[in-house]
C-alpha cells in the first residue's frame, strides 16, 4: 500500500505534459506487448515445395491410382536366408561384457538358432497380410501403406489417423496398437493409415539425392489427400515425430492434432537457464520433480549416455552406404545391428544383461519379423541414407527448425526414451500443447513396447481436442 501511495503521489506531482507522455508510453508498451503475443500465436506454415525422386527424368504425367499389395515370400528366398545364416562367422565376446560392447555374440547365436530352426517366415507373412496393404505412385516413388478401417462404424465418430514409424522400425511396429485404435474407445474410433517411409520396407527408395523429412512429409500429405482425407490426426516417434511435425507445419489446416512420443527442443536461453537453475529451484524455470529426476545429472544422462549410443548416427549420417554394406549381405549382421537397438533403446540398463533384455518387452517372432522386413526388401542401406539426407547441413538452419508448430499437440514422455524433453522446453517450438503426460514405463519403441499406454494417452488427447 505504501508503494502504491508513493506512485500515486509521484504521478499527481507531474505536470500535464509529463502525464500525457507517461500514459502514451504505457499505451505504446502495452501495444507492443500485445503485438508480440499475437505474432507468437499467429499460425505460420512452411512451404510445401516439390520433388521428383523416381529414376530418370520426370514424366509429363503420373499414375495416381491406388493398387492392392500383398507381402509374399518363396521357398527360394527362405533357402537363401538359411544358407547365409549357416555360413556366419562369429567373434567371441569378452568375458562378462553382456551388451556393453554391442550385441553379445553368445546370445546372438541363440537368437540365430531360433531364427534358423524355429521361426516361421511364411506364417509371419500371413500375419503381415492380416491388414490390407496398398501402393500408390507419388513423386516418382511407389509408396507402400496399410489402411485399416474399424470393423464397426455404426453410431461412432470415425477419425482418420496416420501413424509414422522410425528407424530401425517399420510399419509392423504398429500391429500391436492397431486393434486398440480401430475398436471403440469411449465413442472414439480411428481409421488408420500406416505408410512406410520411402526407402524403408516396401516403399521404393529415392533414386536421387536430397530425400529428407520434408520430402517424406509432403508425400504423406499427398497420400492422405489421395485417400480423401481433408483433416486428420498424426502420431509418430523417432523419424515419425519429425515427419509428422513437418506435415503439421506444411498444412496446419489439415492436421486436427499431432501426438508424439518423442520430441526435442534443447536450444536457447530458456533451456540454458533450466540447466543452471533446474537442479536447485526447478519451479522457477518450469521444471517438475519428474523432469529433474529424468534430466539430471545432465552431463551423465544427456551427454555421456548419448555419446555412447549415437555412434550409429554418426556413420549413417556421413557414410550410410559403407555402414549398411555388410548388413545388406549378411542376415546375422543385419539382425545384430537392428536388435541391439531394440535392447538398449528400450532401456539402457539392458546393456548389463546377458540376453540384452530383448524378450522382456518383445517376442523373438516380432523382433525377427521386423528384421525380415529389412532383409527381404534389401532396404537397410536406403533406410540409413535418410540420416545422411537430414544431416547434410545444419538442421537448425532448415526452415522447419525456424518455424513453430501451432496445431493442437499431445506429448507422451516415456521414462526410458533416449532424451527427455520437459513440457517447458517443448513449448518453445510446440505452441499449442493440449496434453503432456509422464508415462509410467516404456522406452523408444512406444507403440511396440507399450501399445495400451500409448493408445490410452492418444485417445485422451483426441478427446480433449474434439471436446468430448
Amino acid at each position: 500500500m505504501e508503494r502504491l501511495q508513493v506512485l500515486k503521489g509521484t504521478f499527481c506531482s507531474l505536470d500535464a505534459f509529463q502525464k500525457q507522455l507517461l500514459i502514451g508510453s504505457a499505451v505504446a508498451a502495452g501495444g507492443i506487448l500485445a503485438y508480440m503475443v499475437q505474432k507468437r500465436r499467429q499460425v505460420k506454415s512452411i512451404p510445401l515445395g516439390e520433388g521428383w525422386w523416381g529414376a530418370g527424368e520426370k514424366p509429363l504425367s503420373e499414375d495416381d491410382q491406388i493398387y492392392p499389395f500383398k507381402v509374399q515370400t518363396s521357398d527360394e528366398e527362405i533357402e537363401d536366408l538359411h544358407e547365409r545364416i549357416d555360413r556366419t562367422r562369429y567373434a567371441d565376446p569378452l568375458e562378462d561384457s553382456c551388451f556393453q560392447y554391442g550385441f553379445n555374440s553368445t546370445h546372438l547365436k541363440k537368437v540365430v538358432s531360433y531364427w534358423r530352426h524355429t521361426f516361421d517366415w511364411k506364417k509371419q507373412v500371413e500375419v503381415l497380410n492380416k491388414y490390407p496393404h496398398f501402393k500408390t505412385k507419388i513423386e516418382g516413388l511407389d509408396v507402400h501403406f496399410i489402411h485399416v478401417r474399424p470393423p464397426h462404424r455404426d453410431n461412432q465418430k470415425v477419425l482418420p489417423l496416420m501413424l509414422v514409424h522410425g528407424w530401425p522400425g517399420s510399419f509392423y511396429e504398429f500391429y500391436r496398437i492397431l486393434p486398440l485404435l480401430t475398436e471403440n474407445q469411449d465413442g472414439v474410433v480411428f481409421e488408420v493409415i500406416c505408410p512406410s517411409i520411402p526407402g524403408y520396407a516396401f516403399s521404393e527408395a529415392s533414386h536421387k539425392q536430397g530425400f529428407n523429412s520434408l520430402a517424406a512429409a509432403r508425400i504423406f500429405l499427398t497420400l492422405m489427400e489421395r485417400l480423401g482425407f481433408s483433416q486428420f490426426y498424426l502420431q509418430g516417434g523417432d523419424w515419425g515425430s519429425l515427419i509428422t511435425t513437418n506435415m503439421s507445419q506444411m498444412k496446419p489446416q489439415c492436421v486436427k492434432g499431432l501426438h508424439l512420443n518423442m520430441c526435442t527442443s534443447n536450444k536457447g536461453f530458456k533451456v540454458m537457464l533450466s540447466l543452471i537453475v533446474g537442479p536447485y529451484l526447478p519451479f522457477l524455470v518450469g521444471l517438475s520433480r519428474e523432469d529433474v529426476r529424468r534430466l539430471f545429472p545432465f552431463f551423465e544422462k544427456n551427454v555421456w549416455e548419448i555419446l555412447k549410443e549415437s555412434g550409429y548416427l554418426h556413420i549413417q549420417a556421413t557414410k550410410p552406404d559403407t555402414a549398411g554394406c555388410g548388413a545388406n549381405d549378411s542376415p546375422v549382421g543385419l539382425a545384430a545391428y537392428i536388435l541391439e537397438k531394440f535392447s538398449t533403446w528400450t532401456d539402457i540398463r539392458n546393456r548389463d544383461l546377458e540376453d540384452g533384455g530383448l524378450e522382456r518387452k518383445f517376442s523373438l517372432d516380432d523382433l525377427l519379423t521386423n528384421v525380415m522386413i529389412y532383409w527381404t526388401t534389401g532396404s537397410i542401406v536406403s533406410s540409413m541414407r535418410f540420416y545422411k539426407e537430414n544431416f547434410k547441413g545444419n538442421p537448425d538452419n532448415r526452415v522447419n527448425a525456424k518455424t513453430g508448430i501451432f496445431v493442437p499437440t499431445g506429448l507422451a514422455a516415456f521414462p526410458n526414451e533416449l532424451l527427455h524433453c520437459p513440457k517447458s522446453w517443448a513449448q518453445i517450438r510446440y505452441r499449442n500443447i493440449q496434453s503432456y503426460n509422464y508415462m509410467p514405463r516404456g522406452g523408444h519403441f512406444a507403440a511396440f513396447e507399450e501399445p495400451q499406454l500409448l493408445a490410452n494417452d492418444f485417445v485422451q488427447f483426441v478427446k480433449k481436442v474434439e471436446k468430448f
Side-chain angles (χ1 to χ4, degrees):
M1 287 295 295
E2 289 184 11
R3 290 183 179 180
L4 187 61
Q5 291 295 333
V6 171
L7 288 172
K8 186 176 179 181
T10 303
F11 181 78
C12 291
S13 66
L14 299 175
D15 59 34
F17 175 75
Q18 289 174 322
K19 288 179 180 178
Q20 289 181 357
L21 184 63
L22 183 60
I23 292 171
S25 300
V27 170
I32 293 170
L33 181 62
Y35 171 77
M36 291 175 66
V37 171
Q38 179 64 27
K39 187 176 181 181
R40 177 176 171 82
R41 291 179 178 175
Q42 186 178 5
V43 176
K44 300 174 185 176
S45 62
I46 62 177
L48 266 174
E50 59 181 4
W52 171 261
W53 311 102
E57 296 294 322
K58 181 179 179 179
L60 296 177
S61 62
E62 185 175 62
D63 181 8
D64 62 359
Q65 295 301 303
I66 296 172
Y67 298 96
F69 172 77
K70 193 172 183 178
V71 182
Q72 296 180 330
T73 188
S74 65
D75 291 335
E76 290 75 18
E77 183 176 65
I78 296 171
E79 288 171 8
D80 177 70
L81 171 71
H82 289 170
E83 289 174 4
R84 291 170 184 264
I85 287 176
D86 292 340
R87 293 197 301 269
T88 302
R89 183 174 61 179
Y90 297 89
D92 292 331
L94 295 173
E95 295 177 3
D96 305 318
S97 60
C98 297
F99 269 56
Q100 290 288 350
Y101 285 71
F103 203 113
N104 186 284
S105 58
T106 299
H107 188 66
L108 180 60
K109 291 176 183 178
K110 297 177 183 178
V111 172
V112 171
S113 178
Y114 179 88
W115 192 9
R116 174 65 174 85
H117 301 291
T118 306
F119 179 77
D120 189 342
W121 175 230
K122 288 184 178 180
K123 178 183 176 182
Q124 293 306 112
V125 165
E126 292 178 5
V127 172
L128 292 177
N129 286 322
K130 176 173 67 173
Y131 296 117
H133 294 246
F134 302 90
K135 281 190 176 184
T136 189
K137 185 80 75 174
I138 304 176
E139 296 190 11
L141 301 177
D142 277 329
V143 177
H144 162 261
F145 62 98
I146 59 174
H147 187 173
V148 187
R149 295 177 171 87
H152 309 291
R153 303 169 67 102
D154 298 337
N155 302 318
Q156 296 181 96
K157 187 168 187 176
V158 179
L159 301 170
L161 163 65
M162 176 178 279
L163 304 174
V164 183
H165 66 88
W167 187 92
S170 65
F171 66 92
Y172 184 62
E173 286 180 66
F174 301 116
Y175 270 49
R176 290 183 179 184
I177 201 172
L178 281 170
L180 304 176
L181 296 174
T182 54
E183 293 289 344
N184 186 11
Q185 298 270 357
D186 297 329
V188 183
V189 68
F190 299 95
E191 183 172 344
V192 186
I193 294 87
C194 299
S196 295
I197 301 169
Y200 288 69
F202 302 104
S203 279
E204 185 179 357
S206 174
H207 297 266
K208 294 174 170 58
Q209 298 180 46
F211 187 91
N212 58 19
S213 66
L214 297 172
R218 184 176 60 248
I219 282 177
F220 289 168
L221 285 169
T222 301
L223 174 60
M224 293 302 273
E225 181 181 349
R226 191 168 293 181
L227 290 169
F229 300 121
S230 58
Q231 287 192 309
F232 42 83
Y233 284 88
L234 298 171
Q235 203 290 324
D238 197 85
W239 282 128
S241 69
L242 178 58
I243 293 169
T244 54
T245 293
N246 293 163
M247 293 172 72
S248 302
Q249 292 172 304
M250 288 176 173
K251 284 194 172 182
Q253 71 276 16
C254 295
V255 180
K256 297 188 75 175
L258 169 68
H259 187 273
L260 306 174
N261 54 276
M262 176 184 173
C263 77
T264 57
S265 183
N266 54 8
K267 299 287 192 301
F269 177 76
K270 186 175 184 179
V271 173
M272 185 181 297
L273 187 64
S274 298
L275 297 180
I276 297 170
V277 179
Y280 313 103
L281 298 168
F283 61 92
L284 288 181
V285 287
L287 298 183
S288 69
R289 289 183 179 180
E290 183 62 16
D291 290 325
V292 172
R293 189 185 71 80
R294 295 187 184 188
L295 280 174
F296 301 105
F298 186 80
F299 186 85
E300 178 185 329
K301 292 186 176 182
N302 296 272
V303 179
W304 179 237
E305 286 295 345
I306 294 304
L307 281 174
K308 289 198 288 185
E309 290 302 322
S310 60
Y312 82 97
L313 187 152
H314 292 285
I315 190 169
Q316 290 177 197
T318 53
K319 303 293 176 64
D321 289 21
T322 303
C325 183
N328 194 57
D329 187 61
S330 165
V332 175
L334 176 68
Y337 197 81
I338 288 177
L339 296 185
E340 185 261 325
K341 304 307 177 195
F342 280 90
S343 165
T344 307
W345 293 359
T346 300
D347 189 336
I348 58 172
R349 292 171 296 185
N350 287 341
R351 292 182 305 215
D352 296 323
L353 303 176
E354 290 183 358
D355 64 356
L358 274 175
E359 293 180 73
R360 291 187 170 191
K361 290 291 184 74
F362 315 106
S363 71
L364 284 181
D365 280 346
D366 281 341
L367 291 169
L368 290 170
T369 296
N370 184 65
V371 171
M372 285 295 290
I373 289 171
Y374 278 86
W375 175 254
T376 57
T377 58
S379 57
I380 188 61
V381 172
S382 54
S383 73
M384 291 177 175
R385 288 174 182 162
F386 202 57
Y387 285 80
K388 173 79 170 181
E389 304 300 2
N390 282 289
F391 288 99
K392 274 188 171 177
N394 185 348
D396 292 334
N397 292 333
R398 286 182 15 172
V399 62
N400 58 291
K402 299 178 179 180
T403 306
I405 299 93
F406 298 88
V407 303
T409 303
L411 300 173
F414 284 84
N416 294 328
E417 182 56 272
L418 294 171
L419 285 171
H420 175 63
C421 183
K423 182 179 180 180
S424 59
W425 294 7
Q427 288 171 325
I428 298 170
R429 296 195 64 221
Y430 297 87
R431 309 288 175 79
N432 188 8
I433 295 178
Q434 300 282 317
S435 169
Y436 182 101
N437 292 313
Y438 301 101
M439 309 309 287
R441 61 186 180 273
H444 186 70
F445 304 98
F448 214 17
E449 295 175 50
E450 299 289 348
Q452 189 68 65
L453 283 179
L454 185 62
N456 290 347
D457 195 75
F458 178 69
V459 169
Q460 65 82 28
F461 161 68
V462 171
K463 290 174 73 174
K464 282 185 179 180
V465 175
E466 297 286 326
K467 294 179 171 59
F468 270 43

